[in-house]
């Protein structure tokens, strides 16, 4: 530069400045647009339009310096490699098991959403064909456009739903299955049409046989060579639970690039090869997880936005003003496709008795457009099927469709709405000897032992049975679709297998008929993990959800998982039943000994009762514990000195449940009832500190502060230094006290009729 050279005349500086500008503008734009409910696809396309000839590109000097034809050549090539690897990665992460037993709703929505737009658009095209502009009349563009827009792309839908945190929602699962059905069908038909086109262009039978033989050879290679080789790399060469080695990763990436090369060379679209190869390889760990960790998070995240921005860059609005007839005709068929897909999906949803709002949201999900549609438009432009005016019209249409769909989905569909409308199931409202339905959620194997110890102390016997739903939830890695299904034992031992074995052993050790275990596994993003927890609790009619605390300790150090904490908070906010968080301090280390000696570790339990719905729910749970025969329960009732009372419903109900509890156990020497009178929150804390180290487990209600006036006075001043509001005032104090390393704490919340606790969890 100082010697008079112009750096932007050279390829590397130009590439670096182009990528930097696109990524910086995309990050800044998405920071604003995401607040309006817009996806990253819309952001990247708008950035491209901003840089293109319609806005900043009007400055010919700027355009010639940064985005000349010579300057964009390398950028396009690198972004095409990113597209190839993206399609391969999505193929690997696609769960083909969704097609084994798809729900009737998913099949109906997928078929109706594909057939109806075709049935509307193609007849209209043939009716209007004589009156259309010449470049549309004699072209196959409208037919290919109708086929493309009548289908839903699985990679696009999966990516959009992940951004919306709807992957594991009820509608999200239906949309993913429906899009996969149509997408697999479309890939097959696309290969057949490409073969048919090449055969019609063939000059001799020998040429035809070469085309068919080449494609069949590629398919056979993928099925009988690449797939077994991929399984060998995944399950034989790679240790369980680990990512691919560097050498294996390089082999897989090279295979993906070569598959695109082969299908392009033999005359088919370059996108077919990577997708077919990806579908043939096993997803999840380790191949899918390795693609996510090493490829998606860097190369694809860096250069895929460039591909979309370049598509937006080629959009030129100035061309549209001179050819109104062309773009109006093209927009008519785009509108017919979108409207037809909406009508088909909504009609299928209503047939299956879906609410009109949810059916509309589902139709919008399947109308979302993204990079696959942009790639198709680019291909039409490269093959001269679409002119510059057609290209600009279609890219702008894809942006507008998605920009309108994503905010409307957020408005129309709240996946937690059905939990808010559901009847709240509580232990307080159940009969004392009714079956207790408990759902135990575990994030890791370490959470099994303390939860089992707690359940052993919960008084399960033939007269007081416990139905236990065990849910092992893990982060979704290496797959595009979330998973929620009953557990099935795998050929090799997995963490889920070991967790289920521990609970099966607990079931067998209990008295006959006392405990029944139903195991499930779930894989989903942490941001929407609560959907699976709440959905399963709702469908299995659970009374209580047991959650492990997000902090754990091995005695030497303490670790915290912020993602688990966020998931726990969301469950507390949206659960259709009561929720309990177990803060384990030292139970896991003794669990093996307890199992071996058939002796319960939690022999001394204390309940601190301050009043209110949460404390009554805690009392209902503690009231079952003496039935175990080996657990003593001490109920400590706190009263405020000189408190006259206001005769409210909560106060009356508090006295009733305490009276019922004492009448039930007054002759039982293992049950102790104590009343403590204090002046304020400081007095409450003093009593708690003096008594707590005498017990193995402390049970408290989470206690929303707005629920009980006397209870608020009993904890006044204790919330000023609250570290974990999800534990409530008293639970947080107990978890951080000096004796906390020896005593475990169970914090219980009785779910309110509405989600009124949401503000306290922020």
């Amino acid at each position: 530069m100082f010697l008079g050279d112009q750096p932007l005349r050279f390829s590397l500086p130009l590439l670096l400045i182009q990528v930097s500008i696109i990524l910086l503008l995309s990050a800044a734009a998405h920071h604003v647009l995401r607040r309006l409910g817009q996806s990253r696809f819309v952001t990247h396309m708008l950035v491209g339009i901003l840089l293109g000839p319609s806005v900043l590109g009007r400055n010919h000097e700027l355009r010639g310096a940064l985005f000349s034809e010579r300057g964009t050549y390398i950028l396009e090539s690198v972004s095409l490699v990113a597209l190839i690897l993206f399609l391969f990665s999505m193929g690997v992460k696609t769960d083909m098991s969704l097609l084994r037993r798809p729900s009737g709703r998913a099949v109906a929505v997928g078929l109706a959403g594909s057939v109806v737009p075709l049935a509307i658009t193609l007849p209209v095209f043939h009716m209007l064909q004589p009156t259309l502009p010449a470049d549309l009349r004699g072209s196959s563009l409208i037919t290919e456009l109708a086929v493309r827009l009548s289908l839903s792309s699985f990679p696009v839908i999966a990516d959009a739903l992940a951004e919306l945190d709807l992957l594991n929602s009820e509608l999200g699962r239906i949309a993913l299955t429906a899009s996969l059905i149509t997408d697999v069908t479309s890939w097959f038909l696309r290969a057949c049409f490409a073969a048919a086109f090449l055969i019609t262009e063939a000059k001799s039978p020998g040429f035809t046989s070469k085309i068919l033989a080449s494609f069949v050879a590629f398919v056979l290679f993928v099925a009988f060579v690449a797939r077994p080789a991929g399984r060998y790399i995944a399950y034989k060469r790679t240790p369980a639970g680990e990512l691919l080695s560097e050498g294996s990763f390089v082999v897989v990436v090279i295979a993906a690039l070569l598959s695109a090369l082969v299908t392009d060379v033999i005359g088919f679209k370059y996108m077919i090869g990577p997708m077919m190869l990806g579908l043939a390889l096993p997803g999840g760990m380790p191949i899918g997880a390795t693609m996510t960790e090493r490829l998606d998070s860097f190369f694809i995240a860096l250069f895929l936005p460039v591909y979309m921005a370049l598509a937006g860059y080629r959009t030129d609005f100035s061309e549209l003003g001179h050819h109104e007839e062309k773009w109006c005709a093209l927009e008519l068929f785009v509108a017919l496709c979108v409207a037809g897909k909406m009508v088909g999906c909504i009609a299928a949803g209503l047939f299956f008795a879906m609410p009109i709002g949810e059916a509309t949201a589902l139709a919008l999900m399947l109308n979302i457009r993204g990079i696959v549609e942009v790639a198709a438009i680019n291909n039409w432009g490269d093959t001269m099927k679409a002119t510059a005016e057609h290209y600009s019209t279609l890219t702008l249409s894809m942006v507008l469709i998605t920009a309108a769909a994503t905010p409307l989905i957020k408005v129309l569909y709240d996946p937690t709405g059905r939990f808010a409308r559901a009847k709240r199931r509580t232990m307080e409202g159940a009969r004392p000897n009714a079956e207790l339905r408990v759902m135990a959620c575990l994030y890791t194997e370490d959470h099994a032992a303390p939860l089992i110890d707690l359940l052993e102390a919960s008084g399960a016997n033939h007269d007081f049975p416990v139905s236990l739903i065990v849910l092992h939830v893990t982060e979704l890695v290496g797959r595009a679709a979330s998973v929620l299904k009953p557990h099935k034992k795998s050929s090799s031992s997995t963490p889920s297998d070991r967790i289920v074995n521990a609970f099966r052993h607990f079931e067998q050790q209990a008295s006959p008929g006392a405990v029944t275990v139903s195991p499930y596994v779930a894989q989903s993003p942490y941001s929407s993990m609560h959907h699976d927890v709440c959905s399963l609790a709702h469908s299995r009619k659970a009374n209580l959800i047991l959650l492990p605390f997000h902090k754990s300790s091995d005695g030497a150090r303490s670790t915290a998982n912020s993602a688990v904490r966020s998931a726990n908070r969301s469950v507390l906010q949206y659960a259709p039943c009561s929720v309990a968080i177990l803060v384990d301090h030292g139970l896991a280390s003794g669990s093996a000994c307890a199992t071996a000696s058939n002796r319960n570790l939690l022999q001394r339990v204390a309940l601190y009762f301050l009043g209110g719905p949460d404390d009554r729910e805690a009392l209902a749970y503690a009231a079952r514990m003496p039935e175990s025969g080996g657990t003593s329960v001490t109920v400590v009732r706190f009263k405020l000195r000189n408190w006259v009372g206001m005769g409210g419903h909560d106060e009356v109900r508090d006295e009733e449940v305490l009276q019922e509890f004492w009448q039930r156990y007054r002759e039982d020497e293992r049950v102790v009832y104590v009343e403590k009178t204090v002046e304020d929150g400081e007095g409450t804390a003093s009593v708690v500190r003096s008594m707590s180290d005498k017990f193995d487990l402390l049970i408290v209600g989470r206690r929303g502060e707005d629920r009980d006036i006397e209870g608020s006075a009993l904890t006044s001043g204790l919330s000023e230094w609250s570290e974990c509001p999800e534990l409530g005032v008293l639970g947080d104090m107990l978890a951080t006290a000096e004796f906390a390393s020896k005593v475990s704490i169970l914090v219980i919340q009785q779910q309110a009729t509405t989600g009124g606790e949401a503000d306290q969890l922020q």
Side-chain angles (χ1 to χ4, degrees):
M1 181 176 67
F2 296 109
L3 295 176
D5 282 343
Q6 296 180 7
L8 297 184
R9 288 175 50 229
F10 299 91
S11 299
L12 181 60
L14 185 58
L15 176 66
L16 295 177
I17 195 68
Q18 287 171 335
V19 172
S20 300
I21 289 174
I22 290 172
L23 293 181
L24 286 173
L25 288 177
S26 295
H30 192 63
H31 182 72
V32 176
L33 293 177
R34 68 178 180 180
R35 303 176 190 276
L36 303 177
Q38 298 304 323
S39 65
R40 291 189 179 276
F41 166 74
V42 173
T43 300
H44 300 322
M45 293 293 290
L46 290 179
V47 166
I49 293 172
L50 175 67
L51 294 172
S54 302
V55 189
L56 297 180
R58 288 187 174 186
N59 186 323
H60 294 289
E61 292 183 3
L62 177 66
R63 186 176 179 182
L66 292 179
F67 293 99
S68 63
E69 285 191 27
R70 179 189 64 83
T72 56
Y73 182 77
I74 296 178
L75 197 62
E76 288 179 357
S77 301
V78 175
S79 64
L80 275 174
V81 174
L83 175 63
I84 290 169
L85 294 177
F86 169 76
L87 293 173
F88 170 71
S89 180
M90 289 302 298
V92 171
K93 293 186 284 187
T94 299
D95 187 3
M96 296 299 288
S97 65
L98 293 174
L99 300 180
R100 290 176 186 169
R101 292 183 179 178
S103 65
R105 285 187 297 181
V107 174
V109 169
L111 292 178
S114 300
V115 173
V116 173
L118 281 176
I120 294 174
T121 307
L122 294 182
V124 172
F125 169 61
H126 288 296
M127 288 173 53
L128 299 179
Q129 192 170 11
T131 64
L132 294 175
D135 52 1
L136 290 177
R137 192 187 316 138
S139 170
S140 62
L141 177 63
I142 298 299
T143 303
E144 293 191 31
L145 175 67
V147 172
R148 181 63 265 170
L149 294 187
S150 66
L151 302 171
S152 299
S153 172
F154 179 82
V156 170
I157 303 299
D159 193 52
L161 292 179
E163 273 198 71
L164 291 168
D165 281 338
L166 295 177
L167 266 184
N168 57 342
S169 64
E170 184 181 15
L171 289 192
R173 286 193 165 96
I174 296 173
L176 282 176
T177 305
S179 65
L180 184 58
I181 292 171
T182 60
D183 213 16
V184 170
T185 305
S186 75
W187 282 106
F188 175 76
L189 293 176
R190 198 172 302 169
C192 293
F193 289 152
F197 172 77
L198 290 172
I199 290 171
T200 57
E201 295 292 318
K203 300 176 182 178
S204 66
F207 184 76
T208 301
S209 62
K210 288 179 182 179
I211 292 171
L212 294 177
S214 299
F215 187 69
V216 170
F218 177 75
V219 173
L220 292 176
F221 176 83
V222 169
F224 296 106
V225 178
R227 178 175 174 80
R231 296 182 67 85
Y232 173 76
I233 290 174
Y235 303 132
K236 300 294 184 181
R237 287 184 56 87
T238 307
E242 294 186 12
L243 300 178
L244 295 179
S245 64
E246 184 176 346
S248 299
F249 171 68
V250 171
V251 168
V252 171
V253 171
I254 290 175
L257 297 176
L258 288 177
S259 67
L261 172 65
V262 170
T263 49
D264 198 46
V265 165
I266 64 176
F268 292 81
K269 299 291 187 296
Y270 65 89
M271 296 186 291
I272 293 178
M275 200 69 187
M276 287 181 61
L277 180 62
L279 291 173
L281 298 181
M285 288 291 289
I287 297 180
T290 306
M291 293 299 108
T292 302
E293 183 75 19
R294 298 179 183 170
L295 204 61
D296 295 7
S297 58
F298 175 67
F299 187 80
I300 292 177
L302 196 63
F303 288 105
L304 203 62
V306 173
Y307 182 85
M308 291 182 278
L310 284 175
Y313 173 80
R314 298 188 191 97
T315 303
D316 189 355
F317 295 154
S318 62
E319 296 286 343
L320 302 181
H322 303 301
H323 304 87
E324 293 183 7
E325 184 182 0
K326 291 184 180 181
W327 72 262
C328 286
L330 200 54
E331 281 296 337
L332 169 65
F333 293 107
V334 172
L336 285 175
C337 289
V338 173
K341 195 169 186 65
M342 291 290 296
V343 170
C345 293
I346 292 174
L350 294 177
F351 178 80
F352 283 89
M354 291 177 64
I356 183 65
E358 291 190 3
T360 304
L362 180 58
L364 289 169
M365 289 178 186
L366 292 172
N367 258 312
I368 292 176
R369 304 300 164 185
I371 191 167
V372 173
E373 286 74 22
V374 169
I377 297 171
N378 282 338
N379 180 65
W380 296 334
D382 294 339
T383 56
M384 306 302 291
K385 293 177 183 177
T387 64
E389 297 85 0
H390 298 154
Y391 184 92
S392 298
T393 302
L394 292 175
T395 51
L396 181 62
S397 299
M398 299 306 106
V399 173
L400 292 177
I401 291 169
T402 306
T406 48
L408 286 174
I409 291 170
K410 288 187 174 183
V411 171
L412 292 172
Y413 181 54
D414 178 11
T416 61
R418 64 190 183 117
F419 308 136
R421 296 187 297 269
K423 178 183 177 182
R424 297 295 193 253
R425 292 185 173 84
T426 64
M427 294 177 289
E428 180 190 356
R431 299 189 311 274
N433 61 342
E435 181 184 56
L436 179 63
R437 295 176 177 265
V438 179
M439 192 171 87
C441 298
L442 304 92
Y443 300 102
T444 67
E445 292 180 68
D446 294 337
H447 295 151
L451 287 175
I452 289 175
D453 285 329
L454 175 64
L455 292 166
E456 283 181 345
S458 298
N461 55 47
H462 185 271
D463 297 323
F464 295 85
V466 172
S467 176
L468 183 59
I469 304 110
V470 178
L471 177 63
H472 181 208
V473 285
T474 55
E475 184 181 12
L476 182 67
V477 178
R479 293 190 183 275
S482 61
V483 176
L484 175 60
K485 62 182 180 181
H487 171 266
K488 291 183 179 180
K489 190 172 183 179
S490 57
S491 56
S492 59
S493 180
T494 65
S496 295
D497 292 336
R498 293 189 286 273
I499 287 172
V500 172
N501 289 340
F503 280 92
R504 289 294 188 196
H505 180 74
F506 166 60
E507 179 184 26
Q508 294 165 4
Q509 293 297 314
S511 58
V515 178
T516 57
V517 174
S518 303
Y520 290 81
V521 292
Q523 290 181 333
S524 57
Y526 275 116
S527 58
S528 58
M529 199 171 277
H530 62 282
H531 292 165
D532 286 333
V533 177
C534 296
S535 176
L536 186 60
H538 177 64
S539 62
R540 293 302 304 266
K541 299 180 180 179
N543 304 100
L544 178 68
I545 298 174
L546 280 177
L547 300 171
F549 192 44
H550 71 278
K551 291 184 179 180
S552 58
S553 175
D554 58 4
R557 61 177 182 174
S558 177
T559 57
N561 189 323
S562 59
V564 169
R565 182 182 191 182
S566 177
N568 285 351
R569 288 183 169 194
S570 296
V571 173
L572 281 168
Q573 182 175 345
Y574 297 114
C577 60
S578 299
V579 183
I581 297 179
L582 176 63
V583 183
D584 169 49
H585 287 136
L587 293 186
S589 60
S591 182
C593 300
T595 303
S597 62
N598 199 25
R599 184 177 66 85
N600 179 24
L601 285 179
L602 303 180
Q603 297 184 359
R604 300 167 300 169
V605 177
L607 166 68
Y608 294 138
F609 190 96
L610 281 70
D614 292 348
D615 286 36
R616 294 197 298 271
E617 194 72 0
L619 181 64
Y621 186 79
R624 299 178 64 96
M625 289 186 159
E627 304 298 334
S628 67
T631 304
S632 64
V633 177
T634 300
V635 177
V636 182
R637 169 74 188 280
F638 287 86
K639 286 188 172 183
L640 196 64
R641 192 181 302 278
N642 301 324
W643 175 257
V644 178
M646 303 180 66
H649 174 268
D650 274 345
E651 292 183 24
V652 174
R653 184 63 185 148
D654 289 346
E655 296 300 329
E656 289 177 355
V657 296
L658 285 169
Q659 188 68 23
E660 291 171 4
F661 174 81
W662 185 237
Q663 288 293 332
R664 179 178 171 184
Y665 288 114
R666 65 187 310 165
E667 303 298 332
D668 194 334
E669 61 182 12
R670 295 168 301 171
V671 178
V672 178
Y673 176 77
V674 180
E675 290 189 353
K676 296 289 184 179
T677 303
V678 297
E679 299 281 352
D680 50 21
E682 186 177 344
T684 302
S686 178
V687 172
V688 167
R689 290 192 187 96
S690 64
M691 297 185 65
S692 295
D693 58 355
K694 300 179 179 66
F695 302 98
D696 304 314
L697 175 70
L698 305 175
I699 303 177
V700 297
R702 181 176 170 267
R703 300 187 42 73
E705 289 190 44
D706 60 333
R707 291 186 173 188
D708 182 43
I709 298 175
E710 182 187 13
S712 297
L714 287 169
T715 57
S716 61
L718 299 182
S719 62
E720 294 179 4
W721 304 100
S722 179
E723 183 181 340
C724 302
E726 66 268 28
L727 298 180
V729 177
L730 201 55
D732 180 68
M733 185 193 76
L734 290 169
T736 56
E738 59 273 7
F739 50 79
S741 60
K742 303 176 183 178
V743 182
S744 293
I745 302 117
L746 184 68
V747 181
I748 298 180
Q749 170 185 285
Q750 184 184 87
Q751 194 69 310
T753 305
T754 61
E757 295 292 303
D759 294 338
Q760 298 180 39
L761 292 172
Q762 304 303 319

